[in-house]
Structures are given as C-alpha cells and as structure tokens.
Amino acid sequence: MGKNQSAQIERWIVKYTNSARKKRRIAPFRTNWGLTRIARSHSRRMARARKIWHGDGVHQAGSSLTHKSFWDFIKSIFYRGCSGENVGLMYKGRVKGFKHSIRTTKDIALAQYKSWMRSPGHRANILNSDFSLIGVGVVRNKNGYYCTQLFYG
C-alpha cells in the first residue's frame, strides 16, 4: 500500500469521526499537520514491531503545538490543553465482528472507526468536546493496517 492509500484511509477516518461528532452536535475536528506527523510516526513504529501500544504521542502533541508563535506562548500561560490517543490494528478481508469483507480504503477506515466506537475509552476520546484538533496516521505491513489517532484541545 502506498502513501496515497494510507492518506485516503486517514481522510476517511477523519470523516467518520467528524460525522459522529456532528450527530451529537459537537464541533468537528480540524486536522493538524503536526499531530498527523506524530500519529504516522507512531503507526510506523508499531508496524515495524508488529504490535500495538499507546505511545508518547499525547506528550509530543502538547509540545509540538505550543510555543510556535508569540500568541501560542500567551495562550499556553492561560490555557492548558488536553490530549488523547487511540491506536488500533485493522485487517483486510474477513474480520470477526464485521458482516462484509474489508477490501477498500473506505472499508478499512470504517472498520477501524467502528472498532474504536465499540470501545468506551476510544469512543470517549472521539466524542470529547474538549478536543478540537486531530491527526491520524496509518501504516501497513504484512499483519494489517496500524492506525493512530491523536487528539488535542
């Protein structure tokens, strides 16, 4: 899978996530390049290790988004942001818990989104109205598609 396919999956995940927020009258996420870069890096590490874990992305997210300008410095004095992270591994083909075979980039994104929404902790991150920024990273290896969502608000 090339970078273009990974980027397609990332965009679909953001769309599904924002759709869930919109249904609940929560402001949609704005994508953030810095968060996306960190999420892709974490997904790449997981794919190389062939396992998933929560990383230090939430801490990197906070430091990468602060002090970029004078106004960011001023905001950081008065406002402490919060952050969260969702990680997952999605397979292609027949996957337990899904009626249809997972084939396309859209299928992969929807299956990963649904998997996160079935988990109370992951769902809480997606629907947390304190979070306003998102970055999604997807990397494939022989096992499947390693996915990371980073949130910041």
Side-chain angles (χ1 to χ4, degrees):
M1 180 174 81
K3 289 181 183 180
N4 188 37
Q5 287 181 314
S6 290
Q8 287 175 1
I9 295 169
E10 293 165 2
R11 284 191 298 275
W12 278 113
I13 288 173
V14 171
K15 284 182 183 188
Y16 290 126
T17 301
N18 276 335
S19 176
R21 289 170 70 90
K22 183 177 180 179
K23 287 178 189 175
R24 291 156 182 88
R25 297 178 188 220
I26 302 169
F29 286 116
R30 293 183 325 273
T31 56
N32 177 273
W33 185 86
L35 291 177
T36 299
R37 189 186 51 154
I38 296 167
R40 285 175 179 163
S41 175
H42 185 64
S43 291
R44 194 174 308 109
R45 285 193 304 275
M46 292 190 302
R48 284 186 189 137
R50 295 186 177 145
K51 61 182 181 177
I52 62 170
W53 68 90
H54 285 280
D56 59 353
V58 292
H59 305 294
Q60 290 180 34
S63 62
S64 75
L65 293 173
T66 56
H67 308 292
K68 295 291 182 186
S69 71
F70 174 74
W71 291 112
D72 289 332
F73 173 72
I74 296 299
K75 283 193 291 189
S76 73
I77 293 171
F78 297 104
Y79 174 73
R80 281 283 202 207
C82 56
S83 57
E85 177 184 60
N86 289 346
V87 295
L89 171 59
M90 187 48 59
Y91 303 98
K92 211 169 182 181
R94 298 295 299 162
V95 176
K96 186 177 179 179
F98 295 95
K99 292 179 184 178
H100 304 288
S101 183
I102 298 169
R103 296 184 178 141
T104 67
T105 57
K106 187 176 179 180
D107 294 340
I108 295 161
L110 181 60
Q112 182 59 69
Y113 159 77
K114 285 182 176 182
S115 178
W116 280 327
M117 289 300 280
R118 291 177 183 158
S119 161
H122 294 111
R123 180 185 182 91
N125 278 338
I126 289 170
L127 300 179
N128 187 334
S129 60
D130 291 333
F131 297 150
S132 59
L133 301 176
I134 190 172
V136 178
V138 176
V139 174
R140 179 184 179 204
N141 74 2
K142 291 178 184 178
N143 288 352
Y145 300 85
Y146 291 81
C147 305
T148 304
Q149 280 183 316
L150 288 177
F151 309 98
Y152 190 82

